[in-house]
């Protein structure tokens, strides 16, 4: 037998030959393979007839027994069987091709025996592939890594399509184990990277073929003129129903497989990114998805269950395409920024360019922003790179709002709250946010409960989306709500309006999410308890406004709301005719009543001559000297040559405080001898500039001596010459100048001109 501590590819074994004579063979040799025929796998039946169920159970039992026998073989026998048994390859390939995916499990029969058998086969097949991808099982049982890579590559044990199928079948619940398995395959055999690079153009042909089937020519074909004898292309509305079903199944399977592969093996994102996969994906989404949705909604289906299944698969495909775009951006552009690599600036520029390229794709941009808000990624960029242009980021956010408006949808209230929270978190430190974002994945981790089965890929269903909480009040107008109700009930006419309104309120009035959850039977528990035919609740009649009103004319003789009879003879409609109206106009009694009031103001006395000895203003002894003489010195019109000058009527008098007192000559002589010390207390009109400079210098010196004083840094917006790069201080100074240049400069010319004109500086 094999020797310990020697790789299997270098071991030699001695066994008896066909004639009974012992011979020495390599441990990996075709003659050491056991003769066993592995039965191909058949999927569970769809209609669930007893005969077909029995046939499936029999075939599945054979497959399970064969896989358990294979896994029980020792290390050398296992690899001889895996390398040289063609029937085993056929069995494993048949399972990868025909095993039901997550969306197919809902259509399978609900027999417990079928479900248990499918789960058992699923488990043993995964364990077989896992052992095939392991080159070292123990210290005694192992293969040389280079030889292991050649064996799996030359014998086609693994290839890119098989690896993608493994991801979509077994990725749910086993992502970490599957990632380690695929990473070992690519590490030991780098040729798989070359195969992946050659496979991406084939994947892109999937989108081109769907566009061609739907009559949506790609950009290159649109420039070519159509031939005269060429038939008109079919569209999603005019093609046969079977063709539409095939296209949607093909699209759902392709997008789910690509997303599972990129999610489990992120190293492949760079290869897809280098082939322009992101741009082709967004353009396909914007071009094909609206037409396919229109066809599923408006075409007549005899089987409503088929229509629901197609809509569910189309919604699932849209979600996976958006998630694929996010994976590519996260692992190729955002991850280098969060990890602080050398190419941070280049990655940030590429990320902003991709966001800008999304702006024309309104439908894709709104769906992408719904699952992965752009404001969160932009907030991370601003934390990691403070020099990001704010004008450019604000333009992107405005473009996102415009995309929501153009598709006629409202942003969920939960996302509006997250936008406000992200604006607050943008002010926090960049290191904490970057570390938190880089440590996590772009999707939530899967948590397994104790005792839960690890292999749950094919039988696992979709994640239930989180419900929204929009509060008690409806954020939509009545017209918008009626439009959503009509849209949903056209597709699902058996639902009552009350049930639909409850679903809309539960899911933030997102009609697409409501339809998707109803079709996939994934409603919240509170909605499952409701009657699906529940009518719209009857609005309570509000009390009459007239019964609660309060008015100054209540209970008067013309209050028709409280009186049953009104004297109509006192009510005139229109103008009065005849003598009555003329008499009313000629009645001037109201003028005579006011005449006596105004006669008291007819006599106006300009001047009152006061004789010597009389009291001022004729007030006698009661004059209290409270007369307001503020404007008595206003010589309005004093210099007018009208013959009656105010200067003649009242001579000019010097105020007492300005008069000069007659000082004795002795005091004047003493003042000449003494220094003028009183000048210090005089109110000087212009102070000494030298003294002012000394005081300012003293204040600055005192300020510099304060603890913690830091002089203000001078602004530098010129920077280095072009081509030599700029420092961070220069970028920040330029941003500050750009933000504050409107406060001064020459932007208030008109205001200053008006101010000068009002002061008389500018002649009118």
């Amino acid at each position: 037998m094999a020797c310990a501590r020697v790789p299997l590819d270098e071991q030699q074994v001695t066994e008896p030959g066909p004639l009974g004579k012992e011979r020495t063979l390599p441990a990996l040799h075709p003659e050491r393979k056991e003769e066993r025929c592995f039965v191909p796998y058949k999927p569970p039946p769809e209609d669930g007839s007893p005969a077909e169920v029995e046939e499936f159970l029999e075939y599945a039992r054979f497959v399970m027994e064969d896989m358990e026998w294979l896994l029980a073989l020792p290390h050398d026998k296992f690899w001889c069987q895996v390398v040289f048994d063609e029937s085993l390859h056929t069995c494993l390939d048949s399972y990868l091709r025909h095993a039901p995916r997550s969306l197919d499990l809902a259509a399978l029969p609900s027999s417990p025996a079928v479900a248990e058998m499918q789960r058992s086969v699923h488990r043993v097949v995964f364990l077989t592939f896992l052992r095939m991808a392991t080159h070292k099982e123990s210290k005694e049982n192992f293969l040389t890594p280079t030889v292991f890579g050649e064996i799996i590559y030359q014998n086609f044990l693994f290839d890119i399509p098989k690896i993608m199928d493994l991801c979509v079948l077994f990725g749910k619940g086993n992502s970490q184990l599957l990632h380690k398995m695929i990473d070992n395959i690519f590490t030991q055999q780098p040729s798989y990277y070359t195969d992946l690079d050659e496979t991406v153009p084939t994947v892109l042909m999937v989108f081109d073929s769907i566009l061609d089937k739907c009559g949506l020519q790609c950009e290159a074909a649109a420039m070519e003129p159509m031939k005269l004898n060429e038939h008109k292309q079919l569209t999603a509305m005019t093609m046969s129903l079977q063709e539409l079903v095939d296209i949607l199944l093909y699209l759902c399977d392709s997008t789910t497989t690509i997303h599972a592969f990129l999610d489990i093996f992120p190293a492949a994102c760079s290869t897809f990114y280098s082939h322009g996969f992101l741009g082709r994906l967004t353009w396909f989404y914007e071009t094909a998805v609206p037409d396919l949705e229109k066809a599923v909604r408006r075409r007549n289906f005899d089987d409503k269950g088929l229509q629901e299944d197609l809509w569910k698969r189309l919604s699932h495909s849209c979600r996976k395409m958006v998630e694929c775009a996010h994976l590519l951006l996260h692992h190729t552009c955002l991850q280098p920024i969060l990890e602080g690599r050398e190419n941070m600036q280049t990655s940030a520029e590429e990320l902003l360019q991709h966001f800008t390229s999304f702006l024309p794709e309104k439908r894709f941009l709104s769906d992408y922003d719904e699952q992965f808000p752009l404001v969160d990624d932009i907030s991370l960029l601003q934390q990691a790179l403070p020099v990001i242009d704010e004008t450019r980021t604000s333009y992107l956010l405005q473009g996102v709002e415009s995309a929501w408006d153009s598709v006629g949808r409202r942003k969920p209230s939960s996302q509006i709250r997250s936008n406000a929270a992200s604006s607050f978190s943008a002010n926090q430190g960049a290191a904490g946010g970057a570390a938190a974002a880089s440590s996590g994945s772009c999707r939530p981790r899967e948590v397994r409960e104790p005792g839960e089965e690890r292999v749950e890929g094919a039988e696992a269903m979709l994640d239930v989306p989180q419900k929204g909480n929009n509060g008690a009040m409806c954020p939509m107008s009545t017209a918008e709500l009626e439009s959503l109700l009509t849209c949903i009930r056209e597709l699902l006419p058996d639902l009552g309006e009350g049930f639909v309104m409850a679903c809309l309120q539960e899911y933030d009035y997102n009609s697409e999410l409501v339809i998707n959850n109803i079709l996939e039977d994934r409603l919240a528990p509170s909605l499952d308890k409701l009657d699906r035919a529940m009518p719209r609740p009857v609005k309570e009649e509000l009390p009459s406004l007239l019964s609660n009103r309060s008015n100054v004319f209540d209970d008067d003789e013309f209050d028709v709301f409280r009186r049953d009879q009104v004297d109509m003879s006192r009510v005139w409609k229109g103008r009065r005719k005849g003598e009555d109206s003329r008499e009313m106009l000629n009645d001037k009694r109201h003028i005579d009543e006011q005449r006596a009031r105004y006669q008291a103001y007819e006599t106006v006395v300009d001047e009152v001559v006061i004789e010597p000895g009389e009291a001022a203003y004729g007030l006698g002894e009661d004059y209290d000297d409270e007369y307001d003489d503020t404007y008595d010195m206003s010589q309005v019109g004093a210099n007018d040559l009208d013959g009656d000058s105010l200067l003649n009527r009242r001579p000019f008098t010097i105020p007492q405080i300005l008069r000069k007192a007659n000082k004795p000559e002795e005091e004047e002589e003493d003042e000449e001898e003494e220094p003028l010390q009183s000048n210090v207390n005089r109110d000087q009109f212009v102070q000494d500039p030298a003294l002012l400079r000394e005081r300012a210098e003293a204040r600055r010196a005192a300020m510099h001596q304060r603890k913690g004083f830091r002089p203000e840094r001078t602004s530098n917006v010129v920077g280095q010459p072009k081509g030599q790069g700029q420092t961070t201080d220069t970028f920040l100074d330029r941003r500050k100048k750009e933000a504050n240049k409107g406060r001064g400069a020459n932007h208030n010319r008109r205001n200053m001109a008006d101010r000068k004109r009002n002061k008389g500086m500018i002649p009118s």
Side-chain angles (χ1 to χ4, degrees), residues 702-748:
M703 184 181 301
H704 292 175
Q705 293 176 359
R706 293 179 182 174
K707 184 178 179 181
F709 173 77
R710 184 171 56 186
E712 184 178 0
R713 182 177 58 84
T714 58
S715 177
N716 180 21
V717 297
V718 178
Q720 300 294 332
K722 186 175 182 180
Q724 297 185 9
Q726 306 297 336
T727 63
T728 304
D729 293 340
T730 303
F731 279 112
L732 297 178
D733 290 339
R734 289 179 179 177
R735 178 186 294 182
K736 182 177 180 181
K737 178 182 177 182
E738 179 69 19
N740 300 319
K741 68 179 182 180
R743 296 176 57 188
N746 212 16
H747 295 277
N748 54 352

Side-chain angles (χ1 to χ4, degrees), residues 17-57:
L19 301 179
K21 184 179 180 179
E22 292 187 354
R23 56 179 180 175
T24 302
L25 296 174
L28 289 177
H29 195 273
E31 295 185 6
R32 302 195 63 214
K33 174 179 68 71
E34 299 289 340
E35 294 297 333
R36 189 181 184 95
C37 181
F38 290 84
V39 179
Y41 170 82
K42 287 189 176 182
E46 295 183 0
D47 55 357
S49 62
E52 292 182 346
V53 169
E54 185 66 27
E55 181 183 7
F56 164 75
L57 293 177

Side-chain angles (χ1 to χ4, degrees), residues 25-179:
L25 296 174
L28 289 177
H29 195 273
E31 295 185 6
R32 302 195 63 214
K33 174 179 68 71
E34 299 289 340
E35 294 297 333
R36 189 181 184 95
C37 181
F38 290 84
V39 179
Y41 170 82
K42 287 189 176 182
E46 295 183 0
D47 55 357
S49 62
E52 292 182 346
V53 169
E54 185 66 27
E55 181 183 7
F56 164 75
L57 293 177
E58 184 177 5
Y59 269 89
R61 189 177 301 107
F62 289 152
V63 172
M64 185 180 64
E65 292 175 355
D66 291 339
M67 293 298 112
E68 290 178 347
W69 173 83
L70 179 65
L71 292 172
L73 292 176
H75 185 252
D76 56 340
K77 289 287 187 178
F78 172 81
W79 278 103
C80 289
Q81 204 73 27
V82 167
V83 174
F84 303 113
D85 195 338
E86 294 294 335
S87 64
L88 174 61
H89 298 173
T90 304
C91 175
L92 294 176
D93 291 347
S94 64
Y95 186 82
L96 295 181
R97 184 179 300 109
H98 300 297
R101 272 57 175 172
S102 57
L103 291 178
D104 300 330
L105 294 174
L108 299 180
S110 58
S111 172
V114 172
E116 182 63 28
M117 182 60 68
Q118 173 61 30
R119 188 178 297 106
S120 301
V121 174
H122 189 78
R123 183 178 184 277
V124 294
V125 171
F126 175 70
L127 293 177
T128 302
F129 277 109
L130 183 61
R131 190 177 183 185
M132 290 168 56
T134 305
H135 69 281
K136 184 177 182 180
E137 296 183 1
S138 64
K139 294 182 179 180
E140 292 79 16
N141 300 322
F142 63 95
L143 285 165
T144 305
T146 55
V147 176
F148 168 76
E150 291 297 327
I151 289 176
I152 62 175
Y153 190 76
Q154 297 297 334
N155 295 278
F156 298 96
L157 300 184
F158 293 99
D159 53 28
I160 301 301
K162 287 183 180 179
I163 294 175
M164 289 185 174
D165 288 334
L166 288 174
C167 292
V168 73
L169 283 175
F170 305 104
K172 186 70 173 180
N174 307 280
S175 58
Q176 295 183 358
L177 190 60
L178 199 58
H179 169 75

Side-chain angles (χ1 to χ4, degrees), residues 746-754:
N746 212 16
H747 295 277
N748 54 352
R749 295 187 296 268
R750 180 174 298 176
N751 295 336
M752 297 304 295
D754 293 342

Side-chain angles (χ1 to χ4, degrees), residues 266-267 269 326-344 347-348 350-351 377 380-381 384 433-443:
C269 291
H326 178 70
L327 285 173
L328 293 176
L329 290 177
H330 180 83
H331 291 291
T332 58
C333 298
L334 196 57
Q335 196 69 25
I337 299 174
L338 300 178
E339 294 177 356
R341 300 178 188 174
E342 296 180 356
N343 58 342
M344 289 177 56
S347 300
E350 291 180 358
L351 183 63
D377 294 338
L380 289 177
L381 280 181
S438 61
S439 62
S441 175
C442 59
R443 64 180 180 86

Side-chain angles (χ1 to χ4, degrees), residues 465-612:
Q466 297 179 355
K467 71 173 185 177
N469 182 14
N470 62 319
M473 297 185 62
C474 177
M476 311 184 70
S477 63
T478 305
E480 291 174 335
L481 182 60
E482 292 295 335
S483 177
L484 290 180
L485 288 174
T486 304
C487 177
I488 296 176
R489 298 194 73 247
E490 284 181 355
L491 184 62
L492 304 170
D494 56 324
L495 300 179
E497 291 186 356
F499 178 76
V500 175
M501 290 180 65
C503 294
L504 288 173
Q505 184 178 1
E506 182 74 15
Y507 293 105
D508 285 334
Y509 295 88
N510 188 337
S511 60
E512 295 184 359
L513 188 58
V514 170
I515 295 174
N516 185 63
N517 290 339
I518 292 176
L519 295 180
E520 296 180 1
D521 198 14
R522 294 191 291 109
L523 291 174
S526 59
L527 297 177
D528 284 335
K529 300 177 182 179
L530 299 179
D531 182 12
R532 298 207 171 193
M534 180 175 64
R536 179 184 294 191
V538 180
K539 294 183 179 180
E540 298 181 0
E541 294 186 1
L542 298 176
S544 175
L545 180 62
L546 299 177
S547 61
N548 298 330
R549 75 183 185 96
S550 179
N551 197 285
V552 295
F553 299 106
D554 287 345
D555 296 323
D556 64 0
E557 58 178 331
F558 299 109
D559 188 0
V560 296
F561 301 111
R562 299 177 183 271
R563 293 178 178 271
D564 296 334
Q565 296 180 356
V566 179
D567 186 6
M568 298 302 297
S569 62
R570 294 179 51 80
V571 179
W572 292 90
K573 297 180 180 179
R575 296 172 57 186
R576 291 188 178 184
K577 299 180 181 180
E579 297 180 357
D580 294 340
S581 60
R582 190 178 304 277
E583 291 178 358
M584 182 182 64
L585 294 176
N586 293 333
D587 187 4
K588 305 299 182 181
R589 286 178 297 177
H590 62 285
I591 298 178
D592 296 337
E593 293 174 357
Q594 300 295 330
R595 191 183 305 278
R597 176 179 298 178
Y598 288 99
Q599 284 179 353
Y601 302 99
E602 287 184 355
T603 304
V604 180
V605 180
D606 294 334
E607 298 179 1
V608 178
V609 180
I610 301 176
E611 298 296 336

